[in-house]
Amino acid sequence: MSYIYSLLKGAISGLLHLMYSLTGNFGIAIILATIVIKIILLPLTLKQDKSMKSMKVLQPEIEKIKKQYQNDSKMLNQKTMELYQKHKVNPMGGCLPLLIQLPILWALFGVLRDPVTVPQDSTFLWMQLINPDPYYILPVLNGVVSFLQQKVMGSADNPQMKNMMYMFPLMMVFISYKMPAGLQIYWLASSVAAVVQQYLIMKKGD
């Protein structure tokens, strides 16, 4: 596991320095590196976004099954899984992009903490990249973008997910407000790209 972490950290460090050599600012370099990472991961995330779109289309059928078998949990689970299998939908598909992001975040955190790789006085706008945003602007923006992401995914149309539409953005603000600003920039840029991509898939079709 440490080998994979070192490999990922080295790749992100090299990408970040390449972007820094083009821009002269590590904040802008993080944004450009984020775009490159999103492009590399595009085949995986496209597949998951299409899976989420299929889940949204199937929601009326799922609600019918719940009403029909509300007193028989075994049949409810069986019929629901049969519906997923018939339409080749993975109900956990939406979790994969988040799981992919975590090791990238850990590796980027390691890169930002390495003074040899990123000078500790590196700044972007009003922030030092190794310290949290002193005005909490980035955490709030991350929460807003997270809300938009839930909206695009159609969480409001799913009674079970409706609460998450409001809870998840609040969790994002709470989780990210102590993150180094460099990580928050990466997360915000990645989330904005994801919202645009999901909008095109969910609203505009394949």
Side-chain angles (χ1 to χ4, degrees):
M1 198 70 179
S2 59
Y3 173 75
I4 295 175
Y5 171 77
S6 299
L7 196 65
L8 191 56
K9 183 180 172 183
I12 290 175
S13 177
L15 178 60
L16 202 55
H17 269 277
L18 173 62
M19 296 305 168
Y20 177 73
S21 68
L22 297 174
T23 64
N25 183 280
F26 273 107
I28 299 174
I30 290 172
I31 295 172
L32 294 179
T34 303
I35 294 171
V36 172
I37 291 170
K38 292 294 290 184
I39 291 172
I40 293 171
L41 297 177
L42 189 60
L44 278 177
T45 53
L46 276 177
K47 184 177 180 181
Q48 300 314 126
D49 287 346
K50 289 178 181 179
S51 177
M52 285 188 289
K53 180 181 179 181
S54 299
M55 281 288 294
K56 185 176 180 180
V57 172
L58 289 179
Q59 194 58 42
E61 293 296 321
I62 293 172
E63 291 302 318
K64 286 180 184 178
I65 292 173
K66 286 179 180 177
K67 288 180 181 179
Q68 186 175 355
Y69 299 102
Q70 57 184 333
N71 297 319
D72 189 344
S73 58
K74 185 178 179 180
M75 283 298 295
L76 172 61
N77 292 332
Q78 181 181 327
K79 293 296 182 181
T80 302
M81 290 308 298
E82 286 176 0
L83 183 67
Y84 290 151
Q85 290 170 1
K86 179 182 176 182
H87 294 274
K88 298 179 180 179
V89 171
N90 179 6
M92 300 301 294
C95 299
L96 185 60
L98 181 60
L99 293 175
I100 292 172
Q101 294 275 21
L102 290 178
I104 295 174
L105 276 175
W106 291 329
L108 182 56
F109 182 69
V111 170
L112 290 173
R113 287 173 62 90
D114 185 352
V116 176
T117 307
V118 179
Q120 301 300 282
D121 59 350
S122 296
T123 61
F124 178 64
L125 299 178
W126 64 89
M127 301 162 289
Q128 278 194 308
L129 295 180
I130 64 167
N131 296 325
D133 179 355
Y135 303 115
Y136 307 111
I137 294 173
L138 285 181
V140 171
L141 286 176
N142 274 316
V144 171
V145 173
S146 176
F147 177 80
L148 292 175
Q149 198 167 6
Q150 298 293 316
K151 191 87 171 173
V152 170
M153 287 167 57
S155 296
D157 301 329
N158 185 342
Q160 293 179 325
M161 295 295 293
K162 194 171 184 179
N163 290 335
M164 285 301 295
M165 183 176 173
Y166 301 99
M167 290 299 297
F168 193 70
L170 292 175
M171 287 170 56
M172 281 303 307
V173 174
F174 179 75
I175 291 170
S176 67
Y177 86 102
K178 284 189 175 181
M179 282 183 179
L183 285 184
Q184 294 184 37
I185 291 169
Y186 165 78
W187 192 269
L188 181 62
S190 181
S191 297
V192 169
V195 168
V196 173
Q197 178 181 306
Q198 287 168 356
Y199 176 79
L200 293 175
I201 294 293
M202 304 290 281
K203 302 295 184 182
K204 299 297 185 180
D206 294 342

